[in-house]
Amino acid sequence: MTKNKKGKLNIFTSYTPGAGKTYKMLVEAAKHSGVVYVAFVYEKHRKNTELLDRLGLKHRITTKYSARKIIEAGVDAVVLDEIGMYSRNIDRIKKTSHGKRNLSRKNFAMGKEWFIYDDIDLFLEAGIDVYCSVNLKRFQSANDVFSELSGIRVKKKVPDRFLDEADSICFIDREPAKLIEDFNNNNLFGEKYMSSRIMKKNFMPETLEQYRKVAVEYIEKYGDKVTIEIRD
């Protein structure tokens, strides 16, 4: 079912993983007056089932979704976490010789890599509002700024046009000291992610301070559609 108006794009981002962008995205999506469908929430770092239940969001925790079926269901809003990841849209993933759709093989239809952000336009054109999250450093031009500080460049980047076309951008800001405290207490991620060299470097005080400074300066250029959410 196609609606008359184009959907609205709401982006939730931050200068670092662990700031709380997914939490804020889900809280705001739950305030939507229509039917909200949680298409994808990344589960490897933390479990979100209890939060989704508490917010009253109908869901089925899964690694895959069908954009076509979501659109046909006539929902009013859809939630997409970590839009820089490879798409979980089974409409775009070919079946393997074993009859399964294997995400790890990046086996996409039409010979093109397909990312979660590629599904955003499908929903917006169908009149469905999109609530999505992604780290700021994943965006094309922002990654150039971040990589100069860290020497770490993201291989698969999100096009800047999503920031340009967004109806609202919520930037989650949190003091580095509080993030480091949570990181050191193992409150942010799973063991594998916590022990990675990149994450250990990311949560050094000087790294977070630099990231925060350039991120706030970068996001300000998007003007009035930006809301900065201070998280304790």
Side-chain angles (χ1 to χ4, degrees):
M1 179 175 70
T2 303
K3 299 182 176 69
N4 293 327
K5 294 182 179 179
K6 186 175 182 180
K8 293 183 178 180
L9 176 58
N10 308 282
I11 296 176
F12 297 82
T13 189
S14 187
Y15 69 96
T16 178
K21 65 185 186 302
T22 298
Y23 175 84
K24 181 64 177 177
M25 172 187 67
L26 292 172
V27 168
E28 292 303 313
K31 296 177 183 177
H32 197 283
S33 59
V35 177
V36 180
Y37 186 89
V38 179
F40 176 68
V41 177
Y42 192 57
E43 286 282 290
K44 286 192 175 181
H45 298 331
R46 66 193 65 83
K47 301 301 179 184
N48 295 286
T49 302
E50 183 179 338
L51 173 61
L52 291 165
D53 288 339
R54 178 157 52 86
L55 293 172
L57 290 170
K58 294 182 179 180
H59 63 91
R60 180 171 65 87
I61 295 296
T62 178
T63 58
K64 304 179 183 71
Y65 56 86
S66 167
R68 175 181 57 80
K69 289 183 178 180
I70 293 171
I71 292 170
E72 290 176 352
V75 305
D76 299 291
V78 65
V79 173
L80 295 169
D81 201 17
E82 300 293 353
I83 62 171
M85 299 177 72
Y86 280 108
S87 179
R88 269 63 178 160
N89 182 2
I90 62 174
D91 307 334
R92 293 286 176 176
I93 305 167
K94 295 187 294 185
K95 289 184 179 180
T96 66
S97 58
H98 300 292
K100 296 182 179 180
R101 293 182 173 91
N102 192 331
L103 290 170
S104 64
R105 297 187 181 184
K106 311 176 189 63
N107 194 15
F108 296 96
M110 300 183 296
K112 173 189 179 299
E113 287 184 324
W114 197 263
F115 298 87
I116 294 177
Y117 66 73
D118 284 312
D119 295 320
I120 289 176
D121 291 324
L122 300 176
F123 295 121
L124 295 179
E125 291 300 326
I128 298 172
D129 295 340
V130 175
Y131 291 79
C132 65
S133 74
V134 62
N135 282 317
L136 188 61
K137 68 180 73 174
R138 285 256 180 196
F139 286 100
Q140 184 79 40
S141 60
N143 184 246
D144 294 338
V145 178
F146 279 87
S147 63
E148 287 183 7
L149 298 176
S150 65
I152 301 170
R153 184 170 291 275
V154 176
K155 292 181 180 179
K156 307 295 183 181
K157 305 176 187 70
V158 179
D160 289 342
R161 74 174 181 87
F162 289 101
L163 287 171
D164 296 331
E165 298 170 9
D167 293 274
S168 71
I169 301 169
C170 182
F171 179 84
I172 313 300
D173 189 16
R174 196 171 185 221
E175 291 184 12
K178 293 179 179 178
L179 282 161
I180 292 169
E181 181 180 357
D182 276 351
F183 182 78
N184 290 336
N185 290 332
N186 298 323
N187 292 331
L188 295 183
F189 312 112
E191 183 178 347
K192 182 178 179 181
Y193 206 58
M194 288 284 296
S195 61
S196 72
R197 180 184 62 83
I198 291 177
M199 279 301 100
K200 287 180 178 179
K201 181 176 182 179
N202 185 93
F203 282 88
M204 293 174 62
E206 58 270 26
T207 302
L208 287 178
E209 290 287 357
Q210 289 179 321
Y211 277 5
R212 186 188 194 190
K213 182 177 183 297
V214 300
V216 171
E217 292 174 353
Y218 181 91
I219 206 69
E220 282 179 346
K221 70 181 182 180
Y222 290 96
D224 293 340
K225 66 182 178 181
V226 176
T227 301
I228 296 180
E229 176 83 9
I230 308 296
R231 184 187 166 206
D232 292 334

